[in-house]
Amino acid sequence: MSQSSEPPILINCPQCKAKLRAPASMVGSRIDCPKCHSKVLVPGIASSASSSSEQDEWFSLEPIEAKKPSAVPVPSPSPAGDQGDPPRSLFDDDLPDLVPLTQAPPVAPSTRGERALREALDAGDGRGDNGLAGDDLFDDPAAIAAKPAKASGPVKASGPAGKAATPTSPKPAPAKSNANQEYSVSCKVCKTLLTVRSSQAGSQMKCPDCHSMLVIPPPPVKKPAVEIKISELEASVPLSPLEGNNPRVITGASVNTKEILSKASRELEREKQEIDSARGAFDSKEWLSRTFGFLSDLRLVATLFILGLVFALVYYIQASISFSSETELSNFVLRFREDLLYTLTFPLQLVLFICAVAVIPKSANRQKKIEPWPFFQSFKEYIAPACVGFVVFLLINFVSTLLAGVLAFVKMPILLQDAFADVLAWGCLPIVYLSMLESQSHTKPFSKGIYNSISAKTDAWGAMYMQTGIAWVMYFVFWQMGLVNGAAMSAFAGFVFPWFICFLANQYGVLAGRISDITDLGYEGVFTESE
């Protein structure tokens, strides 16, 4: 079938969706849309006589090599104007006539990679290594071949008078500008974002969504970045005035940056030193000397050993005596059994409390031995303090037992009542006794200086209460086991009792030495902050 007898091809413009009609001879080439002036590629494959011949050979039963090639004349395409008009269709009245193909402005690439490649090629002389411009890479090959080649050197041309024209030098490549800059504009009707180029500024375009016409505005002007030079900053930082009426703050004062940094460095160094001191190695020798310092005097150790044997015998005897709980007298004896035992053994208690009174200044002054020894020439000097100490110890235990007896009305077990009484004695005994030492009077069981030292020296008071609490619990367990298991365990509790009293006196002495700088106790022991 010849090309003149082929029907026209109906296509739609991809930009404005207009219906176009193109002759079959323009298959593979581009035509110009009469509405939006965009280039439209006519789909299809151009047919020729050679192709039909090759198809006939494919259907032939003989091998291709056996056939002799025959020269088939290829008809030259005739211009569109020489061909007869194809028969018109029923719908041809609705289609616009085609206009001759003209040079249209390049279409913006549809992908970011194509735009980047186009800008890279246009950055130099406008052509790549193969001689193609950036816009040519995205055009049809047939359209590229139809473009005239640009002269790269001087060209001589003859004028109308036959004179030779002067050679023209090639124009220098223009500097890179924002001519190809892309930016987004918004449709005023449907608010659709459209991508346009700066070269299209001032022209009109149709929105693909609402088909309304809008004028493309010029590209936005980018503000230059502000460069901040640190070297030009002022050396001082002005601070805003503090709120409130503070006479020490001067309104509008500025603090020097170097002073702030130096102050922060000093605080950081101080915190580092505090952390290093807190992480220091534990001095076990120093801890043992403070906790069991009363054992450094061998004379005191021998005295406590003898007193322990005597108290063991006394405790053994009292455990062997049985009491019936049928009478009120028997119940009273059982309730105040421990206090009655302390009272009946007053001579032994006096000797024991003389040792305890001598241990307190020894521990407070950090001495290794008790000087003077209380059982020779200085015996009379220790009798009065020892009696006061024993009476305070006995009264606190007696009052604690009375207060614990209130728990009997709520049917509290005897074991818990005794524990409550010992807790009261453990908490009140150091405060009362140290208050008497500070005031030098047995009629003043409360001292303001001792009370204030509790909040000022919380670490010292906390260490004392922790260590004496452990000792008090151990003695309480031995005493209760003696009441339950019989005379043998009571004898062991009696042997522990002298050591228990002197341990309490040692801890009270260490506490007195630590708080002497803020009280009137008058001890001269040297204790560091870590101790």
Side-chain angles (χ1 to χ4, degrees), residues 116-399:
L117 181 58
R118 187 188 298 274
E119 293 177 0
L121 293 174
D122 293 341
D125 58 352
R127 294 187 173 273
D129 298 337
N130 54 359
L132 296 179
D135 296 336
D136 296 341
L137 294 178
F138 305 97
D139 295 340
D140 188 70
I144 297 175
K147 291 183 179 181
K150 296 181 180 179
S152 59
V155 179
K156 293 182 179 180
S158 58
K163 296 182 180 180
T166 57
T168 58
S169 60
K171 296 181 179 180
K176 185 178 179 180
S177 62
N178 294 332
N180 294 327
Q181 178 185 356
E182 292 187 358
Y183 57 96
S184 298
V185 295
S186 176
C187 177
K188 297 182 178 180
V189 178
C190 62
K191 306 301 180 182
T192 302
L193 290 179
L194 306 175
T195 302
V196 298
R197 303 178 70 89
S198 58
S199 59
Q200 300 176 353
S203 61
Q204 293 184 352
M205 68 176 297
K206 181 183 291 185
C207 177
D209 290 344
C210 64
H211 303 286
S212 63
M213 300 299 295
L214 69 153
V215 179
I216 301 176
V221 180
K222 295 183 178 180
K223 297 182 180 180
V226 180
E227 183 180 0
I228 300 176
K229 296 182 180 181
I230 302 178
S231 59
E232 298 179 358
L233 296 178
E234 297 181 358
S236 60
V237 180
L239 301 180
S240 59
L242 300 178
E243 297 181 357
N245 297 325
N246 191 350
R248 294 177 296 177
V249 178
I250 302 176
T251 305
S254 61
V255 181
N256 192 278
T257 306
K258 294 182 179 179
E259 294 181 359
I260 296 177
L261 294 177
S262 61
K263 183 179 179 180
S265 301
R266 290 193 301 269
E267 292 180 356
L268 183 62
E269 186 67 24
R270 180 177 57 81
E271 292 179 358
K272 184 178 179 181
Q273 293 177 358
E274 292 178 356
I275 294 175
D276 294 341
S277 61
R279 293 179 179 177
F282 178 71
D283 193 352
S284 58
K285 184 178 179 181
E286 183 65 26
W287 179 81
L288 289 174
S289 65
R290 294 195 309 269
T291 307
F292 303 100
F294 66 100
L295 300 178
S296 61
D297 195 334
L298 297 180
R299 296 171 298 178
L300 179 62
V301 173
T303 304
L304 293 178
F305 183 79
I306 296 173
L307 288 174
L309 295 177
V310 176
F311 274 102
L313 180 61
V314 173
Y315 276 53
Y316 182 84
I317 295 174
Q318 67 88 22
S320 301
I321 301 174
S322 59
F323 298 92
S324 61
S325 58
E326 296 179 356
T327 62
E328 295 182 359
L329 179 61
S330 299
N331 292 332
F332 179 81
V333 172
L334 290 175
R335 168 63 59 189
F336 297 95
R337 189 172 186 174
E338 188 176 8
D339 299 326
L340 292 174
L341 180 62
Y342 296 155
T343 304
L344 295 176
T345 58
F346 175 73
L348 293 176
Q349 299 289 348
L350 183 60
V351 176
L352 176 59
F353 274 84
I354 288 176
C355 296
V357 169
V359 167
I360 290 178
K362 171 188 176 299
S363 301
N365 295 323
R366 307 296 297 271
Q367 297 175 354
K368 293 183 179 180
K369 293 183 179 181
I370 299 176
E371 295 295 344
W373 181 248
F375 294 105
F376 293 110
Q377 298 179 357
S378 303
F379 180 75
K380 295 180 180 181
E381 299 178 2
Y382 286 93
I383 291 179
C387 291
V388 173
F390 173 71
V391 170
V392 171
F393 178 77
L394 184 62
L395 288 177
I396 289 179
N397 279 276
F398 182 76
V399 174

Side-chain angles (χ1 to χ4, degrees), residues 78-100:
S78 59
D82 298 340
Q83 296 180 357
D85 294 336
R88 297 182 62 83
S89 173
L90 179 63
F91 303 99
D92 288 347
D93 296 337
D94 297 336
L95 300 178
D97 295 334
L98 297 178
V99 297

Side-chain angles (χ1 to χ4, degrees), residues 38-61:
S38 61
K39 291 188 293 183
V40 182
L41 178 64
V42 180
I45 302 175
S47 61
S48 62
S50 61
S51 61
S52 62
S53 175
E54 292 176 358
Q55 292 179 359
D56 296 340
E57 292 177 357
W58 186 83
F59 285 104
S60 177
L61 297 177

